[in-house]
């Protein structure tokens, strides 16, 4: 295959996009978006609960889905962090211990009420007072009940929760309380409108997207009920009509942190779509961005458009010196990710900036990758620890224990280190709520799930991380390795740095 030689001027305009899908959508994300099988299952409505780690591409799927649904004439309702606040919920709502107050069911009812009202508001804005088949009925309800109110989504949700709370723990006799609660849980206020809504939905489509539930997550009683209640509401509402679809995205850590949600998800596993990436799909993602960036800036190179993904990469990134990374520069860089698009985009962008700063030329030299690696590694180490701050506070101080140690550990050596951590013989900070109760095997599992450790399942096999294989019998693993993404930040030697996944 002939090597592609790009114009030196491309270096000035080359752009891999932003790590944020919300900003990237206005810069052309839809044009270079990788339409994975996961995206198609979500777009078809077969999967409505999107799950993945931070930076895996959940928001990108939602942003593209929203844009394409609008282009097709659908009504799209997007709920983002501005529309909910865990801190406000915790300070506003009474605790479950205050009385007979099972919050998950209350939040599920409140979510259903909120979403149905938002859907009817969106439809009523389209001149439905003149339509037949239920449109007038819905319009009249929105006009009479919500016309004068300009409550935002969070206020509307909280107002319904407060109505439930007042009955649950208020001074009301048992018989009246039971009837009133049944009325609220059954959404009596809007229940008679649902047949009319079905008729309207025969000819109109509405898509509701609830994203970034992890923003401000505090693992509180209300936060957990908020998310698990939303899950129940999604399942219920999606059964109303095929032209009404409610989607929610969940970070893996939130899913693991909510026992009630896990129990519900087992009953509806067919609705869950877990996002995962492979080396090939990550290479395609970067190659698409290279082609788009060149084309949008007036460098429509026919050879680049026709070239395979590997050739696109090689036109921008020079190969490493012998022995530095398997499979060329791409292998070196992808081995320093947890297979999340945001990570690879960040690493590539920082190497590109290093190249510009040194006034080098394309392809990006390996030295630029080396110079950018420490900053990238340090940021990712902090970010990964921060992802688990609710479940495992102080995790960064556990990561720091591996500083300047060898990259590879035998099982006995790693178990001893984990035992010393749990017993406090090796000091850490802010870990008192969970670390002392961990036995060595549990701590190894936590560090593998978080991405710090990779494991070699067989004597001569590759070291594999949780981003590469979902299930691994860690109890049978004899050798572990600190993932290469953490090496530069933790001052771990480069010996064996070319090993995949480590």
């Amino acid at each position: 295959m002939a090597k592609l030689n790009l114009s030196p001027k491309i270096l000035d305009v080359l752009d891999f996009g932003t790590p944020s899908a919300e900003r990237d959508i206005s810069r052309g994300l839809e044009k270079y978006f990788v339409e994975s099988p996961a995206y198609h299952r979500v777009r078809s409505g077969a999967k409505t609960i999107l799950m993945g780690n931070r930076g895996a591409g959940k928001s990108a799927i939602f942003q593209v889905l929203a844009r394409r649904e609008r282009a097709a004439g659908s009504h799209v309702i997007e709920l983002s962090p501005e529309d909910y606040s865990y801190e406000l919920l915790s300070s506003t709502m009474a605790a479950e211990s205050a009385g007979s107050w099972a919050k998950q069911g209350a939040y599920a009812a409140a979510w259903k009420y909120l979403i149905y009202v938002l859907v009817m508001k969106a439809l009523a804005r389209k001149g439905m007072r003149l339509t037949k088949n239920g449109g007038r009925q819905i319009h009249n309800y929105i006009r009479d009940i919500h016309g004068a109110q300009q409550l935002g989504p969070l206020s509307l949700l909280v107002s319904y929760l407060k109505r439930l709370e007042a009955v649950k723990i208020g001074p009301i006799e048992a018989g009246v309380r039971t009837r009133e609660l049944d009325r609220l849980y059954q959404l009596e206020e809007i229940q008679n409108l649902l047949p009319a809504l079905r008729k309207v939905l025969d000819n109109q489509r509405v898509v509701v997207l609830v994203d970034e539930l992890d923003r401000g997550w505090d693992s509180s009683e209300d936060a957990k009920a908020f998310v698990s209640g939303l899950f129940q509401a999604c399942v219920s509402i999606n059964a109303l009509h095929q032209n009404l679809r409610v989607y929610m995205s969940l970070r893996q850590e939130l899913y693991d942190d909510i026992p009630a949600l896990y129990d519900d998800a087992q009953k509806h596993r067919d609705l869950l779509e877990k996002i995962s990436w492979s080396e090939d799909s990550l290479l395609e993602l970067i190659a698409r961005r290279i082609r788009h960036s060149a084309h949008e800036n007036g460098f429509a190179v026919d050879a680049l458009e026709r070239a395979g993904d590997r050739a696109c990469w090689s036109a921008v990134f020079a190969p490493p010196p012998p022995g530095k990374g398997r499979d060329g520069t791409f292998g070196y860089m992808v081995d320093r990710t947890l297979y999340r698009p945001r990570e690879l985009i960040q690493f590539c962008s920082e190497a590109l900036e290093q190249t510009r700063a040194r006034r080098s030329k394309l392809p990006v030299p390996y030295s630029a990758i080396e110079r950018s690696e420490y900053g990238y590694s340090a940021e990712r180490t902090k970010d990964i620890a921060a992802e688990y701050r609710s479940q495992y506070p102080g995790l960064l101080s556990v990561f720091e224990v591996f500083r300047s140690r060898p990259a590879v550990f035998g099982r006995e050596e790693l178990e001893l280190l984990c035992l010393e951590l749990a017993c406090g013989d090796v000091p850490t900070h802010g870990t008192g709520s969970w670390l002392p109760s961990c036995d060595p095997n549990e701590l190894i599992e936590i560090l593998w799930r978080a991405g710090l450790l990779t494991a070699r399942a067989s004597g001569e096999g590759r070291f594999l991380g949780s981003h590469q294989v979902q299930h691994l019998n860690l109890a049978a693993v004899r050798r572990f390795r600190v993932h290469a993404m953490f090496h530069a930040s933790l001052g771990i030697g480069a010996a064996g740095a070319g090993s995949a996944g480590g």
Side-chain angles (χ1 to χ4, degrees):
M1 181 187 298
K3 179 175 174 58
L4 284 173
N5 292 310
L6 302 180
S7 166
K9 295 181 180 179
I10 290 183
L11 178 62
D12 297 329
V13 298
L14 190 61
D15 182 12
F16 296 110
T18 72
S20 167
E22 292 77 11
R23 298 198 308 273
D24 224 17
I25 191 68
S26 62
R27 300 174 56 174
L29 173 62
E30 192 176 1
K31 296 179 181 177
Y32 49 78
F33 178 71
V34 177
E35 294 190 9
S36 63
Y39 165 76
H40 287 292
R41 287 189 288 268
V42 171
R43 178 69 192 273
S44 71
K47 305 287 185 177
T48 54
I49 314 295
L50 200 55
M51 193 163 67
N53 296 110
R54 180 184 290 175
K58 302 183 298 299
S59 293
I61 288 178
F62 275 11
Q63 289 291 323
V64 172
L65 179 62
R67 179 159 290 200
R68 292 179 178 176
E69 286 284 359
R70 286 193 179 99
S74 303
H75 307 279
V76 178
I77 300 167
E78 295 179 87
L79 297 179
S80 60
E82 291 73 29
D83 299 313
Y84 36 79
S85 164
Y86 299 119
E87 184 178 357
L88 176 62
L89 290 169
S90 294
S91 63
T92 302
M93 306 306 300
E96 286 190 342
S97 58
S100 175
W101 177 222
K103 285 192 173 179
Q104 183 176 342
Y107 271 90
W111 265 115
K112 284 189 282 186
Y113 177 79
L114 168 64
I115 292 173
Y116 277 133
V117 169
L118 292 177
V119 168
M120 288 189 283
K121 279 185 172 183
L123 292 169
R125 281 196 293 267
K126 298 298 180 179
M128 282 174 46
R129 74 178 72 191
L130 303 177
T131 66
K132 300 179 181 179
N133 298 327
R136 180 181 296 275
Q137 191 178 354
I138 291 173
H139 171 81
N140 290 344
Y141 167 76
I142 295 298
R143 180 198 62 199
D144 297 341
I145 305 300
H146 298 280
Q149 298 180 11
Q150 297 299 324
L151 296 179
L154 180 61
S155 298
L156 200 56
L157 181 82
V158 170
S159 69
Y160 203 83
L161 284 167
K162 296 301 285 185
R163 288 161 66 182
L164 279 160
E165 181 187 272
V167 177
K168 274 282 190 179
I169 62 178
I172 304 173
E173 62 184 72
V176 176
R177 174 180 288 125
T178 299
R179 289 193 298 274
E180 184 64 14
L181 282 176
D182 187 60
R183 189 181 73 81
L184 289 169
Y185 278 120
Q186 296 300 320
L187 307 180
E188 187 176 293
E189 179 184 311
I190 60 174
Q191 193 64 233
N192 65 320
L193 295 171
L194 297 186
L197 181 57
R198 288 192 188 94
K199 291 179 181 179
V200 173
L201 289 168
D202 285 339
N203 299 306
Q204 300 197 58
R205 178 173 172 81
V206 182
V207 172
V208 182
L209 303 168
V210 189
D211 195 12
E212 294 194 273
L213 290 163
D214 58 299
R215 189 78 63 86
W217 178 256
D218 60 6
S219 197
S220 64
E221 177 183 280
D222 281 280
K224 292 178 180 180
F226 181 92
V227 174
S228 55
L230 172 60
F231 186 100
Q232 287 186 351
C234 286
V235 174
S236 174
I237 295 171
N238 285 333
L240 182 77
H241 197 285
Q242 63 181 2
N243 275 341
L244 174 57
R245 279 292 169 266
V246 183
Y247 296 93
M248 64 180 289
S249 73
L250 268 179
R251 247 182 46 206
Q252 183 69 48
E253 300 81 55
L254 267 67
Y255 176 76
D256 294 338
D257 197 28
I258 308 175
L261 179 61
Y262 178 84
D263 293 339
D264 284 338
Q266 302 314 300
K267 306 171 191 174
H268 305 288
R269 185 175 291 275
D270 58 313
L271 302 178
L272 268 67
E273 180 65 49
K274 185 170 183 180
I275 301 179
S276 61
W277 291 79
S278 66
E279 293 184 12
D280 287 344
S281 58
L282 288 169
L283 179 61
E284 179 187 358
L285 177 143
I286 292 296
R288 280 175 173 265
R289 290 168 183 248
I290 291 171
R291 295 188 190 100
H292 173 80
S293 182
H295 185 272
E296 288 296 299
N297 288 283
F299 295 95
V301 182
D302 290 341
L304 188 61
E305 295 292 337
R306 296 192 303 268
D309 296 340
R310 182 72 57 178
C312 280
W313 175 277
S314 298
V316 174
F317 292 95
K324 288 286 187 179
R326 60 172 185 88
D327 199 20
T329 318
F330 175 74
Y332 183 89
M333 295 181 79
V334 81
D335 279 350
R336 281 149 182 77
T337 73
L338 299 178
Y339 285 10
R340 305 181 190 183
R342 186 179 298 174
E343 295 169 339
L344 189 57
I345 292 168
Q346 179 186 345
F347 201 175
C348 289
S349 297
E350 291 184 8
L352 193 62
E353 288 305 312
Q354 286 288 340
T355 303
R356 289 174 179 147
R358 296 296 181 100
R359 300 186 182 278
S360 301
K361 299 179 180 179
L362 287 182
V364 172
Y366 174 75
S367 58
I369 295 172
E370 280 190 317
R371 286 192 298 272
S372 64
E373 186 171 348
Y374 176 80
Y376 164 78
S377 175
E379 187 171 335
R380 292 307 303 140
T381 299
K382 292 176 183 176
D383 285 350
I384 293 298
E387 286 183 25
Y388 293 88
R389 62 183 176 274
S390 296
Q391 293 168 276
Y392 310 116
L395 186 60
L396 183 60
S397 68
V398 177
F399 289 175
E400 283 290 332
V401 170
F402 290 82
R403 179 172 295 280
S404 301
R405 293 178 184 265
V408 178
F409 290 81
R411 181 170 199 92
E412 292 77 10
E413 182 184 9
L414 183 59
E415 284 181 344
L416 178 59
L417 178 59
C418 288
L419 182 61
E420 291 173 335
L421 278 163
C423 293
D425 295 338
V426 176
T428 57
H429 305 286
T431 58
S433 62
W434 63 278
L435 187 56
S437 61
C438 282
D439 67 37
N441 289 331
E442 288 174 332
L443 185 52
I444 289 172
E445 174 86 23
I446 289 169
L447 296 177
W448 184 75
R449 290 286 173 196
L452 180 77
L453 294 178
T454 58
R456 190 160 70 184
S458 59
E460 300 300 324
R462 291 174 60 186
F463 285 92
L464 298 173
S466 57
H467 60 291
Q468 294 166 303
V469 56
Q470 288 190 6
H471 304 289
L472 189 64
N473 181 14
L474 291 180
V477 171
R478 307 309 303 170
R479 292 186 73 74
F480 295 86
R481 191 171 189 278
V482 177
H483 191 289
M485 186 173 76
F486 300 87
H487 285 191
S489 175
L490 296 178
I492 293 173
S499 299

